[in-house]
Amino acid sequence: WVVDATLKEGKRHIYSRLTFYLYEDSWTALASDQYDARGQLWRVGLAYLVQNADRPAPWSDGYSTSDLIARNYTMLPWVAPHYGVVYTDPLPENEWSPDALAGS
C-alpha cells in the first residue's frame, strides 16, 4: 500500500511531501520518501522487520534514514534487552471508548 501525503496550502514543514510504503500484513511503513520544498527527493527511510517467534506478527526493530543531499545516514536503535515489544493482556471492550482512551 502506498500513502502519499502533501503539505497543506499555507502550512510550513521540513518536508513538502511524504510517501509511505506500507506492508499490509503488519501495516508497518517499511519505507518512506521525503521531499524538500522544491519537490526533490531528499531523504529515504527504511524500517527493518523481524518475525516474532511467539506471535503471528512482524514488528520493526530498527529504522534508518538516508539523506541523499548530505550523503549520510542515521540508524535508530536496534533491539537491546531494554527495548522491544511488550505484550500485555487485551484491554476490556469498554477501555476502547473515546472517553476512556482520552483519559488514559
Side-chain angles (χ1 to χ4, degrees), residues 41-75:
L41 184 59
W42 176 14
R43 294 177 175 155
V44 176
L46 295 172
Y48 304 96
L49 290 184
V50 295
Q51 181 64 43
N52 289 318
D54 60 338
R55 303 288 174 147
W59 61 285
S60 175
D61 72 343
Y63 189 84
S64 68
T65 301
S66 298
D67 186 322
L68 304 176
I69 296 171
R71 299 178 63 108
N72 63 25
Y73 68 93
T74 302
M75 295 196 74

Side-chain angles (χ1 to χ4, degrees), residues 26 28 48-62 77-89:
S26 67
T28 302
Y48 304 96
L49 290 184
V50 295
Q51 181 64 43
N52 289 318
D54 60 338
R55 303 288 174 147
W59 61 285
S60 175
D61 72 343
W78 295 97
V79 173
H82 57 282
Y83 292 108
V85 176
V86 176
Y87 295 104
T88 61
D89 292 328

